[in-house]
Amino acid sequence: MLSVIIITKNEAHAIEDCLRSVAWADEIIVVDSGSTDSTANICHQFGAKVTITDDWPGFGQQKNRALALTTQPWVLSIDADERVTPELQAEIKQAITNNPDASYRMPRSSSYCGQFIRYSGWSPDYITRLFRRGHGKFSDDLVHERLITEHPTLTLKSPLLHISYINLEEVLDKINRYSTAGAAMSFTNSKSATLGKAIRHGLWAFVRTYFVRLGFLDGKMGFVLAVSNAETTYYRYLKLALLNQQNSSDIS
């Protein structure tokens, strides 16, 4: 009764554990945006149906492409760095049997450079990922997409494991990619920014993560996470300011 959808690019280091955690599903759909490593081959080995795309329209549209390929009544969307625990598997099976018209959100437990984060705004982190096919779709956002559904949303108890940011190199890579995507999305929505706004928002991101959301209780990694959140926010606004400046120059 269940299709699992995953979007990938160069996830050979993570995708095998992800696929093992959902091997019990009736169907696994993978939409890959041109991996240059062994991601696609690994997915084939696990019996997944793999589609390779030439472009990258953003997270939301790519997930909708995967959604359009499903054939089962229910859909579970996960990322390559996420894992379904046996406890969550049991809850999912029970949920899709007992409540045919509901969608489901679940808590996500995320790690940062090897440490699971309990505060810093990362926990509790509820995400809606399980829904009946035809009862929802993903927003078209380039990044931080969300499921759009008009059906009731119920809550599962068991967490989805999120093995994010394995090391600082990955942190820095995602800071660059996510700030670029965020700036592009804001620019498309006619938003503007300045250097001053970038500094203010970056500082507030640190204060919010480390103090307001109790990141200091996560120890040294709470501090590192607060700094990386500040950097992502700062660069997102700075890149938006540069896009605004370039657009003004082009117009003039």
Side-chain angles (χ1 to χ4, degrees), residues 95-136:
I96 64 180
T97 301
N98 296 339
N99 296 287
D101 292 324
S103 299
Y104 289 89
R105 68 174 191 165
M106 58 200 69
R108 182 167 61 169
S109 180
S110 300
S111 66
Y112 182 88
C113 296
Q115 176 181 320
F116 278 93
I117 302 298
R118 298 180 59 193
Y119 302 95
S120 304
W122 277 27
S123 181
D125 175 25
Y126 287 99
I127 49 173
T128 305
R129 294 289 191 80
L130 178 65
F131 57 101
R132 196 166 181 86
R133 187 163 59 94
H135 286 189

Side-chain angles (χ1 to χ4, degrees), residues 121-169:
W122 277 27
S123 181
D125 175 25
Y126 287 99
I127 49 173
T128 305
R129 294 289 191 80
L130 178 65
F131 57 101
R132 196 166 181 86
R133 187 163 59 94
H135 286 189
K137 67 174 184 177
F138 292 93
S139 62
D140 288 334
D141 296 321
L142 291 174
V143 66
H144 301 310
E145 75 291 345
R146 67 192 188 284
L147 182 71
I148 300 172
T149 178
E150 296 180 355
H151 292 263
T153 300
L154 305 179
T155 302
L156 302 179
K157 295 180 180 180
S158 301
L160 177 69
L161 298 185
H162 183 206
I163 314 300
S164 64
Y165 302 106
I166 297 174
N167 51 45
L168 284 177
E169 285 75 14

Side-chain angles (χ1 to χ4, degrees), residues 77-99:
S77 171
I78 64 171
D79 296 333
D81 58 0
E82 294 174 339
R83 315 284 182 260
V84 175
T85 64
E87 295 78 13
L88 181 57
Q89 172 188 338
E91 274 200 82
I92 289 173
K93 288 182 175 180
Q94 183 177 19
I96 64 180
T97 301
N98 296 339
N99 296 287

Side-chain angles (χ1 to χ4, degrees), residues 173-190:
D173 176 62
K174 287 191 175 181
I175 285 174
N176 185 45
R177 291 191 291 111
Y178 277 62
S179 61
T180 297
M185 189 164 59
S186 295
F187 182 75
T188 300
N189 293 329
S190 301

